[in-house]
Amino acid sequence: MIEDAAFYIFAGVSLFSAIAVVLSKNIVRAAVGLLGTLGGVACLYFLADANLLGVIQLIVYAGGTLILIVFGIMLTSQSPWVGFLPTKVQAIAASIVAVILTIGIVRLVTLVPWAQRNPDELSQSLTVKSIGDALLTTYLVPFEVASVLLLVVMIGAAYLARTEK
Amino acid sequence: MASITLPWVERNPKTLTSQRRTALTLLYSLAFLHVLLVIASWAWLTPLSSAAKDLTDGRIPLVLILCVGSVIGMLTFVTAALVVTFYRLVGRILAAPWVAFIIFIGAIVGIILLAWLHAEAFAFVKNMAHPAYTDVNPAPKIFGTSIEYEQSVRSIYEQNLEPYAFKIPFVGNVTVLAAYILWPLQFAIVRDLVAVGGIIGFISIVPGFGIWWERKIAGRMQSRMGPMRAGGWHGWAQSAADGIKLIFKEDYVPPSGDGLLFRLAPYFALVPAICAFIALPFAAAWVFRDLDVALIFILAMLGIEVMGVILAGWASNNKWSVYGAMREACQMVSYEIPMGMALLIPVMTAGSLNLGAIAEAQGGGFWTWFIFKNVWCFAAFFIYYCAALASCKRAPFDLPESESELVAGFLTEYSGFRWSLFFFGEYAAMFVISGLATILFLGGWMSPFPSEWADKLIDPNTNHFVATIIRGVVAENPLWFIAKATFMFFLQLWIRWTLPRIRIDQVLYACVQVLLPMMMVVLLGNTLWILAVDHWSWMQTTDMIINWILAALGVAVVIGMLAIASYGFRHNKALVGSMAADQLPGK
Amino acid sequence: MNHQFEICLALGVVVPLISFAILVFFGANPPFGKPRAAYLAFAAIATSCVLSSYVLINWYGLSVAERTELTENAFRYHWADFGNISIDVGVKLDSLTVIMYFMVTFIASCIHAFSIGYMSGHSDEVGGKCKYHRFFAYFGLFSFSMLGLVISSSLLFLFIFWELVGLCSYLLIGFYFHEKYASDAGMKAFITNRVGDFGFIVGLALVVLYTGTFDLDAAAASFAEQYHTGTGIFAESISLFGWHVSGMTLATLMGIGLFCGAMGKSAQFPLHVWLPDAMAGPTPVSALIHAATMVAAGVYLVARVFRLLTPDAQMFIAVIGCITLTITALIAIVQTDIKKILAYSTLSQLGYMVFGMGVGAWTAALFHLMTHAFFKAMLFLGSGQVIEGCHHEKNIMKMGGLSRKMPWTGRTFLVGVLAIAGFGIPWLHIGDIKFGLGGFFSKDEILAVAYERAFNMGGDGHGESHESGGTHGENEDHAAPVHGDGHAMANVAEGVQLASADTNASALLAAQSAMASSESGDAHHAEHGRADKMKIAGTLPSLPKWMFWLPIFIAYVTPFYMMRCYWLTFRGTPRDHHVHDHAHEIPWMWVPLVILAVGTLVCSYMLFRPMIADAGGVATHAAGIVAIDGEAHSWEDTSGQVMLTVTHGSGMDNPHNALALIVGFSWLIGMGLAWLIYRNGPALAGRIKDSVPGLALVHHALEQKLYFDHVYNYALVGGTKAFGKLMGAADGVLDFVVDAVAYLFRGIGVFAGRQLDMGVEKRDIGLVDNIANFLAWITYMTGTGLRRPQNGRIRTYVLLTAGAAGIALLFVLFWPHSSDAAEVLSATAQP
Amino acid sequence: MLATIGLQHYLILSALIFSLGVLCMATKRNAIGILIGVELVLNSANINLVGFSKYQTGKGDGQIFAVFVILLAAAEAALAIAIFMNFYNNVRTIDVDRGDELRG
């Protein structure tokens, strides 16, 4: 019961923040809205017994990526509050597309009788240990590839963002 | 020392006296009402309370409210009335020169009492917690563990726990009363609320005490007294007075800034710091939520805290603020890396990500603390502490608010209550990183003695209270944790007033080119070391020898520090620049 | 199990890595600094060399059976599982590893020693980067990766080290990175190698896909099984867009893919362009990496995966090798840069090795690899001595008469030239000692196999041995004593798994026993008749004749250009007195040269010969002398017949007398011709070029390296650019059409409106004008509307994509049959 | 209808956030705004993964993939910011509509 209420609260926070992201004209406010979405989604992860994922979401996304984004905003803004607004036609077209997408996907999701696990098993949560084991055995290749990718990205980003001589 | 003066008392005695008279009348009448209520309810409820065997009995809340509540209310009103009556006396007592002595003695007694209470409650909770402690997915929790609370209380009620079974004349069975008082705690949400209240209360104490302490230390280091006026003894009420002042200050929002974000920013700085306490254990099972990812969670919260600073700087629309914000952003993002890597060292050494398990792996005396475990852990501790200082924007890394270059950095435009929220967040974060250092490197809530000693000291005939205290002192106790964390907190203050602030490029250099490579070497070294110790017996000997050398080093450092401190204490008049108090006229 | 050999080899791999780690971090400063950094690197590789000598000596002190046992129980450590594929870290311990390892460490030690002197002239600081220690650090890394490559038992690790070797090559070619040509050359080598490695990865992926393992032995076993059952990779035909390549299975593609890697690293024909440019690196680098060891890694790879090659793939390899050895030798004739000549000769010799692998001369190719490594390293070091002595003058046209100034260099260079030219006298021998130098034996053996393949295929002896397969058990008993030999071979190069899987095993064993009983063979003298027994001829496709004659021709060209190089450099009269006066021999730098020269002589006299033959598994040590060229290759055609390649007796019979006649004196003729022409300097050659019609044209073509670089530049770089331009133009045309339509109609509309307006009363404007304007507006809007979606704005694209997806989704879901879609979806929604 | 929380709830939430992300991508002219929209979309994908992990497989695979998604998102953001810096250095604005030199 409390879990259900918590789901609606967190989902509401995420959605509300996501709407704020879309509607805000100021890009920093959009970033703050994104923070709200990330936090809400992280709470949802906690709710779905994905503790590690929630924490990773917070530490990597909210603590790292988002700060990077805000940093980028600060470095690339010329005057404080200038927002580049889309034209009305664009906004309306985009809204229509979004509505179409929403209807389509929601319809799809409600149409399919999703098989679900036995409710008794639902409460069994995964420990960090089991995820760590899986990462180092079954998912070793993606894990290693991801580390290589991060290395490449690090070098690439440093190269791209360096000051021109 | 001048006695405390309450200006509003002195200014217009007449009106104030009439006000006092009104207040006294009100208070005494309320107290009298409560006395009546107590008598009536006691007469009515005594047979009833002894009849209520079942904890779900709906009459218990009634007993609680009528009986216990009215006693508490009566005492409160009487105390208030006495204070109002003897306000001059109270003021004089607070201001009396000998109050320091009383507070000192009182503090010692209080700490002992507190220790006893803690130990008692700790043992109580831990015993209850025990069967469920290892459960994978506990039911609703208090202090992080699944507790069959009803049963526990019922067992008290049914006097199964011998030590609690004593009676007070006219009051009845204490355990029954205790059961009544603890009755609401059977609801998970009540327990959570109590725990949250406790956390928030603790967080409010930390800055209050910390700011005063910091100012006193600063004063001592600069051969002056620091705050001396507010309150009586050594300006102990200075933080409270500051708080009152800040609340009444003008709440200024820069008109050209982003008002919404400006108002929002302090909460972004404060709330994550509070959230970090969710997962920070004060002792085994003394944690709000015992997450298996507690360590990363705390790290994440410390990371998000930066967002508040950045937004504050941005929303102020002020050059200095933005500089401060950007400094904070790059500083924090950089220092998180060595910090996170340093935290891996104890995790690796203990073989567990669970903070409780890590702390309890260090229970065999101070030489088993991870800081003394081997050279890599030793290095990791210092790297962690440096990085933590930086991520907390404490001196010498307090670039975001460096007042000599950036006015006050991101705080430039802030005033009043919002300004104080930043400080709440900062001090809370300081305590969190100190606590983390304590748990991971300094044995957490384990005492510096091997915990087996407790079992040797307690023979089965020992009085229960004595046994609990012995266990608390010799084995484990939340107070040990608080004491160690407070010491680490003190170190931060000490460092702040000792080291000069460094430049921003030096800050980043220190992270990326010094701490990070060092940390990588340490990480690799520790891994190989653990492997080697596992595989070769001669490495175990080496490991032990190094452990002892490091422990001896630690003891030597502490003894040296104490010696220097005692020397300074004894010879402070002979030292250069003795206390300003000594130079006061009349001395 | 005692793993002392593995431990020694692994230690030898790690020691250079440690030296690399130390040097790269601390090499620039005391306690290392300028000379000591080099000493550290030398000490490291010398340690490896000592270790490998220990292994070599002890390894060959063991009996064949013991070695076989060691090979089978070599160290394997289960490292990780990737899904179903398990990855082992292990050491491939067999004769080939041991010899190759020794060769690499020995030559690397000599070159390290040489480099101490060579690099001492280099300044410490260039552009703020300390180069001296960097050089030796890279050498350490290179030694580590090359040795790791040699001992890897798993294709995965082989590939990792393979790439590391490529990286070192890149770093060392571009060692003078402040010079554009050097960094360009490094880039070129790297990119060219990537092309080859792409094929390698494809091959590797196929191996893993179809055999499920990275382990060389396990892969070969699985491969053999698939072959026999005709399943797996042999059941897959190659098809490209529905077009089937007839007669080829995917197995062939896999072999070719693996060979592509070798093509890149060993610089074979289409990808050979990087090696001459790689001479931009310091000369010791050229000696170590681009002559002796790294480029040989390709050949080594082919030797390692030989069991995975189908006859078609082998033919491909042979063709590539043949082309390479021909064209590069021709280009070498006209080069004037001493290092370029040596580079092209290296290419040519690599071509010989690859050709040898392709025609099935497994042992001979590896033997040639070993001998070539020695004399080519020596030649390069000699050229380094010359270049250093002449103050970085590389043009041989400006040299001449240097042998007086640098006598030791001249002498050792001559030894090298003789060795590469194939100096030796057929039929002459004193006892068992034959008269000749390295190239004489190794190159001619490759040619002998080619000869067999080109002329003598057809299978006398085939029937006999195949019949003997009928009496299976008997033969097996009979062959039991030599089974060990066969086994040793199997673990290195060829599949006993394959052979023993069916009755053909006996054929193989019969061949081996025949060879085992053969004593004292040599390249050109032996008893007749034995070879017939050894010929387990098969039905391998016989070699086209040109693939035999081209290498023969090049065997004449090789002595020519090497003699030209030697004579113009060391003999004759000095042509540039400035260079000549300042030329000097740097003291002590010739010591490694002499050591290598001695090595060349020794290895020419067959020290390595038996060892490699043993690696091939068809040698016997009973008599102490081994001379049989036993290619360890057996293959079977699709009809299941034995296709053991020629295992001829190395010139013991008539054909080989003929071969000796054909190429035995090529060194004399080639070198003699060169001496005649270049005796008095290059002038005569110039005159010949001018007087013979057409020769100038050929000369020019060769000078331009047969236009390979031009073609690549034009076809690849230009092609890409042109494609881009074409696309741009197409875009422009479309835009132009759309715009033009819009503007045209708008113009018409405006014009019409104006015409109608003129002289007409105001009230008409409303109607007429508006109609016209409306038309114009419609057309204009159509045009701009068509234009708009491709406005290059990311948001528009996002919108269009998302909108299209959404509409498609709605269409599917709300269409009358959407329940079907739901059924399909719900079927997939089950866990 | 929405009695107990099940897989559908997660999926619908994910769909909504996805659409909002697309909307954000389509309406923001600031390059970083577009990046924020991408992050929203990735988050919605992660919600799906976690939902399926909890309600269908019960194993860690969904979570692990979500971890990789987060990781890739971080990498993508780092690169994107670096590209935007370059873009800003070249065009002196972060408005993507101004970066249309290649427009047809």
Side-chain angles (χ1 to χ4, degrees), chain B residues 1 89 92-105 233:
Chain B
M1 200 146 307
L89 192 63
R92 208 166 294 146
I93 288 170
L94 286 177
W98 42 267
V99 84
F101 179 73
I102 290 182
I103 289 179
F104 184 68
I105 298 295
W233 179 74

Side-chain angles (χ1 to χ4, degrees), chain A residues 65-120:
Chain A
T65 310
L66 196 63
I67 287 174
L68 193 70
I69 287 175
V70 175
F71 207 71
I73 293 170
M74 289 187 187
L75 286 179
T76 53
S77 68
Q78 281 162 321
S79 60
W81 321 118
V82 170
F84 315 110
L85 299 179
T87 60
K88 240 172 213 165
V89 179
Q90 285 172 336
I92 291 166
S95 313
I96 291 169
V97 165
V99 168
I100 289 174
L101 263 185
T102 313
I103 293 171
I105 301 176
V106 169
R107 163 91 173 157
L108 176 73
V109 165
T110 47
L111 209 61
V112 179
W114 298 102
Q116 289 199 9
R117 279 198 299 158
N118 188 359
D120 304 341

Side-chain angles (χ1 to χ4, degrees), chain B residues 165-499:
Chain B
F166 60 94
K167 294 189 176 187
I168 298 173
F170 304 110
V171 176
N173 196 330
V174 170
T175 52
V176 176
L177 205 62
Y180 285 170
I181 293 171
L182 296 175
W183 182 83
L185 291 180
Q186 66 180 298
F187 303 108
I189 192 148
V190 175
R191 279 177 269 149
D192 282 359
L193 283 177
V194 169
V196 168
I199 287 174
I200 289 176
F202 188 81
I203 291 171
S204 349
I205 291 169
V206 167
F209 176 68
I211 290 173
W212 171 75
W213 201 19
E214 175 155 17
R215 295 177 68 175
K216 293 304 280 187
I217 288 172
R220 294 284 161 168
M221 286 199 163
Q222 296 161 355
S223 285
R224 55 186 175 83
M225 298 302 285
M228 290 297 284
R229 252 170 224 286
W233 179 74
H234 278 264
W236 60 269
Q238 185 65 47
S239 297
D242 280 348
I244 292 166
K245 179 200 76 172
L246 284 171
I247 288 172
F248 287 112
K249 269 179 92 167
E250 185 195 349
D251 179 21
Y252 177 73
V253 177
S256 63
D258 187 334
L260 178 70
L261 293 184
F262 188 85
R263 289 187 177 87
L264 217 55
Y267 302 102
F268 276 121
L270 177 63
V271 171
I274 296 176
C275 285
F277 277 87
I278 287 175
L280 185 73
F282 279 56
W286 276 66
V287 53
F288 182 54
R289 286 282 186 269
D290 192 12
L291 296 175
D292 52 354
V293 288
L295 188 60
I296 321 174
F297 181 81
I298 293 171
L299 210 57
M301 285 303 142
L302 291 176
I304 294 178
E305 208 194 334
V306 193
M307 204 60 199
V309 174
I310 297 172
L311 285 183
W314 173 261
S316 298
N317 195 11
N318 173 325
K319 187 190 295 177
W320 310 119
S321 302
V322 176
Y323 278 145
M326 292 185 77
R327 283 180 176 191
E328 170 74 359
C330 49
Q331 185 173 320
M332 180 69 205
V333 171
S334 327
Y335 273 92
E336 253 186 348
I337 300 165
M339 188 170 155
M341 284 166 80
L343 293 180
L344 285 182
I345 300 290
V347 171
M348 237 179 342
T349 313
S352 169
L353 197 60
N354 189 307
L355 290 179
I358 293 174
E360 287 184 2
Q362 310 173 53
F366 71 89
W367 50 90
T368 57
W369 292 357
F370 282 158
I371 182 176
F372 301 131
K373 184 79 176 171
N374 58 41
V375 278
W376 311 108
C377 295
F378 195 67
F381 171 76
F382 292 101
I383 293 171
Y384 164 73
Y385 206 69
C386 286
L389 276 183
S391 70
C392 237
K393 53 188 184 298
R394 289 295 298 183
F397 303 104
D398 56 347
L399 276 303
E401 46 177 299
S402 55
E403 66 279 351
S404 53
E405 344 166 3
L406 296 184
V407 189
F410 64 95
L411 288 171
T412 305
E413 300 286 354
Y414 276 88
S415 62
F417 187 60
R418 295 185 205 294
W419 186 84
S420 69
L421 285 185
F422 278 109
F423 274 83
F424 269 73
E426 181 175 333
Y427 278 82
M430 279 164 70
F431 190 84
V432 168
I433 60 165
S434 307
L436 216 50
T438 305
I439 293 170
L440 295 176
F441 291 101
L442 298 176
W445 48 88
M446 312 305 286
S447 76
F449 318 107
S451 44
E452 311 94 65
W453 288 8
D455 301 331
K456 287 176 191 158
L457 285 171
I458 303 165
D459 62 286
N461 300 325
T462 314
N463 183 301
H464 176 80
F465 295 113
V466 178
T468 318
I469 291 171
I470 289 175
R471 186 165 285 116
V473 173
V474 179
E476 51 180 351
N477 193 302
L479 279 188
W480 278 118
F481 171 78
I482 294 178
K484 289 177 199 170
T486 312
F487 178 71
M488 300 311 295
F489 188 89
F490 164 69
L491 272 186
Q492 298 186 10
L493 307 182
W494 185 5
I495 289 170
R496 168 161 184 190
W497 295 103
T498 309
L499 297 179

Side-chain angles (χ1 to χ4, degrees), chain C residues 70-330:
Chain C
L70 281 176
T71 302
E72 281 174 355
N73 296 310
F75 175 75
R76 293 280 188 285
Y77 171 73
H78 179 70
W79 180 49
D81 287 311
F82 291 177
N84 295 329
I85 302 161
S86 80
I87 309 287
D88 286 358
V89 185
V91 176
K92 181 93 180 126
L93 183 66
D94 57 26
S95 298
L96 176 58
T97 301
V98 171
I99 298 168
M100 189 84 183
Y101 197 98
F102 175 75
M103 190 273 280
V104 172
T105 51
F106 183 78
I107 289 178
S109 301
C110 290
I111 293 174
H112 271 71
F114 181 85
S115 309
I116 297 174
Y118 185 85
M119 296 303 288
S120 66
H122 284 66
S123 60
D124 258 8
E125 299 278 334
V126 173
K129 311 269 179 203
C130 184
K131 296 178 34 147
Y132 188 76
H133 75 279
R134 213 156 48 77
F135 181 84
F136 288 98
Y138 291 163
F139 256 29
L141 183 62
F142 170 77
S143 307
F144 161 71
S145 13
M146 184 70 205
L147 295 175
L149 192 158
V150 170
I151 70 168
S152 289
S153 71
S154 144
L155 271 170
L156 179 70
F157 284 91
L158 201 149
F159 182 69
I160 290 171
F161 286 116
W162 181 268
E163 294 297 331
L164 266 178
V165 163
L167 171 74
C168 294
S169 167
Y170 165 76
L171 290 173
L172 285 166
I173 292 169
F175 185 71
Y176 303 123
F177 58 84
H178 47 93
E179 308 280 0
K180 185 156 181 353
Y181 71 90
S183 59
D184 281 355
M187 202 73 90
K188 185 174 179 182
F190 209 58
I191 290 168
T192 316
N193 267 305
R194 291 288 76 69
V195 176
D197 287 346
F198 176 72
F200 193 3
I201 289 172
V202 170
L204 209 56
L206 284 173
V207 171
V208 174
L209 191 64
Y210 282 97
T211 67
T213 176
F214 280 108
D215 193 82
L216 280 162
D217 297 332
S222 164
F223 196 69
E225 194 191 322
Q226 285 176 27
Y227 168 73
H228 283 294
T229 52
T231 53
I233 194 164
F234 287 93
E236 306 277 349
S237 63
I238 306 171
S239 72
L240 198 67
F241 305 121
W243 175 70
H244 286 267
V245 181
S246 62
M248 270 171 84
T249 58
L250 203 55
T252 303
L253 190 67
M254 178 182 92
I256 291 174
L258 290 172
F259 174 64
C260 276
M263 246 154 87
K265 200 122 294 181
S266 283
Q268 292 304 301
F269 154 59
L271 305 179
H272 67 272
V273 289
W274 68 269
L275 188 61
D277 287 17
M279 296 302 134
T283 307
V285 172
S286 311
L288 178 59
I289 298 184
H290 305 120
T293 55
M294 186 197 84
V295 289
V299 181
Y300 178 79
L301 175 73
V302 177
R304 272 289 178 231
V305 300
F306 203 66
R307 280 175 285 175
L308 304 178
L309 300 177
T310 60
D312 288 338
Q314 283 186 12
M315 188 52 85
F316 178 78
I317 293 171
V319 170
I320 292 289
C322 195
I323 295 172
T324 310
L325 73 91
T326 310
I327 57 172
T328 52
L330 291 176

Side-chain angles (χ1 to χ4, degrees), chain D residues 2-16:
Chain D
L2 298 174
T4 49
I5 300 301
L7 181 56
Q8 280 197 356
H9 293 73
Y10 282 87
L11 297 184
I12 290 172
L13 176 69
S14 150
L16 292 174

